[in-house]
Amino acid sequence: MKIYVENDYASMSRRAADIIAAEIKNNPNCVLGFATGSTPTGTYARLGELCKSGEISFKNVTTVNLDEYKGLSPDHPQSYRCFMNKNLFDLTDILPENTHLPNGLAEDSDAECKRYDKLIKDLGNTDLQLLGIGHNGHIGFNEPNDRFIPGTNVIDLTESTIQANSRFFESAQGVPTQAFTMGIGCIMSAKSILMIAEGKGKAQALYDALCGPVAPSCPASILQLHPNVTVIGDKEAFSLIIEKEPKLCI
Ligand code: PGA
């Protein structure tokens, strides 16, 4: 596992974008797994700049996103489709048909989960999967559980996730209570994984993920078993690790 402790959000975002840009330069046809939330917006803005300056092109890139709220249409302003269009896709030359998210409006959830798993498999799995981490250690929307769920599934969001995400909605009541999420097996099938974390609020989750036991009570801890993981965070996010396991950060 490679670990980068950055001074601030801007340098974290720059390093993460540079790693993704290098992936695109090395393999212009790559399949990238993307995440939503506050953490990756700086990374996406930088990728948009690199695309605008002609340093990289998304023309042959395919993307699959981790998750989508169940019940939100693609044009709902809080849907993850809308988020991705606004924060990344519209800033690049990516072909819309090469961008994939679960369909939040799918009537048959089981069929939608199977469709999404097949899509990822048919693409040959992701070359690089970008991840944030939830305050409770979730990745995608794989919430703490008593087992790791391998495939795409519909998850009941925990109260803490609903509260955390209510900042994007008018109130917590407006946050959907369920979401489609790529499963842990899909995430782990990525050839490389890039996790980013910002702020003190993520310090415990990051510590549990990297230093705790591998257990579904902290879904991100599974990353300890992946052969090619890079974690980039600011000093606050790494504060507990710096305090308790400083050797990990060298
Ligand atoms: P955040 O979410 O980037 O908005 O903190 C991360 C996550 O929940 O995975």
Side-chain angles (χ1 to χ4, degrees):
M1 187 176 287
K2 272 197 214 118
I3 297 208
Y4 293 97
V5 183
E6 300 289 339
N7 279 333
D8 54 27
Y9 180 74
S11 49
M12 177 196 81
S13 302
R14 207 172 314 118
R15 189 181 291 278
D18 288 349
I19 289 172
I20 297 169
E23 180 76 35
I24 297 172
K25 282 184 203 165
N26 284 338
N27 177 8
N29 300 306
C30 61
V31 179
L32 299 176
F34 279 139
T36 49
S38 306
T39 317
T41 54
T43 304
Y44 293 155
R46 167 105 180 125
L47 285 172
E49 282 165 21
L50 292 173
C51 196
K52 196 170 166 207
S53 68
E55 222 177 291
I56 54 170
S57 167
F58 281 76
K59 221 166 59 194
N60 297 311
V61 169
T62 301
T63 67
V64 282
N65 259 79
L66 285 167
D67 41 24
E68 179 59 284
Y69 287 117
K70 186 165 159 58
L72 293 196
S73 71
D75 51 11
H76 187 289
Q78 305 308 339
S79 73
Y80 285 161
R81 158 60 71 185
C82 226
F83 174 99
M84 289 307 297
N85 287 346
K86 182 169 151 233
N87 287 285
L88 182 66
F89 300 150
D90 291 351
L91 314 178
T92 72
D93 55 350
I94 199 160
L95 302 177
E97 61 269 31
N98 290 344
T99 65
H100 304 281
L101 287 91
N103 173 10
L105 290 185
E107 279 178 21
D108 183 339
S109 296
D110 284 349
E112 177 58 10
C113 293
K114 286 200 182 95
R115 179 194 74 82
Y116 209 60
D117 283 341
K118 182 171 181 321
L119 170 83
I120 295 165
K121 199 160 164 235
D122 290 349
L123 288 168
N125 296 322
T126 51
D127 292 296
L128 185 155
Q129 174 68 55
L130 179 67
L131 295 177
I133 181 169
H135 294 90
N136 59 7
H138 73 205
I139 46 177
F141 267 136
N142 293 282
E143 301 280 37
N145 203 331
D146 53 10
R147 67 193 176 100
F148 291 112
I149 300 177
T152 302
N153 61 99
V154 175
I155 201 96
D156 292 327
L157 301 180
T158 61
E159 195 48 42
S160 76
T161 298
I162 291 173
Q163 287 303 331
N165 289 7
S166 64
R167 68 193 193 278
F168 301 113
F169 292 79
E170 276 177 18
S171 70
Q173 282 73 43
V175 185
T177 55
Q178 290 189 310
F180 287 97
T181 183
M182 214 187 257
I184 295 287
C186 295
I187 293 172
M188 289 293 279
S189 69
K191 290 165 198 120
S192 63
I193 292 180
L194 175 56
M195 175 181 266
I196 52 177
E198 186 218 3
K200 204 141 197 119
K202 298 295 173 68
Q204 185 68 52
L206 203 56
Y207 177 81
D208 292 344
L210 305 193
C211 307
V214 175
S217 53
C218 177
S221 63
I222 192 91
L223 300 181
Q224 293 177 36
L225 304 181
H226 193 283
N228 190 355
V229 177
T230 301
V231 183
I232 311 174
D234 66 357
K235 281 185 186 149
E236 280 74 31
F238 272 108
S239 55
L240 263 187
I241 297 179
I242 292 169
E243 187 189 319
K244 295 185 181 184
E245 297 284 349
K247 282 200 195 112
L248 207 68
C249 300
I250 292 170

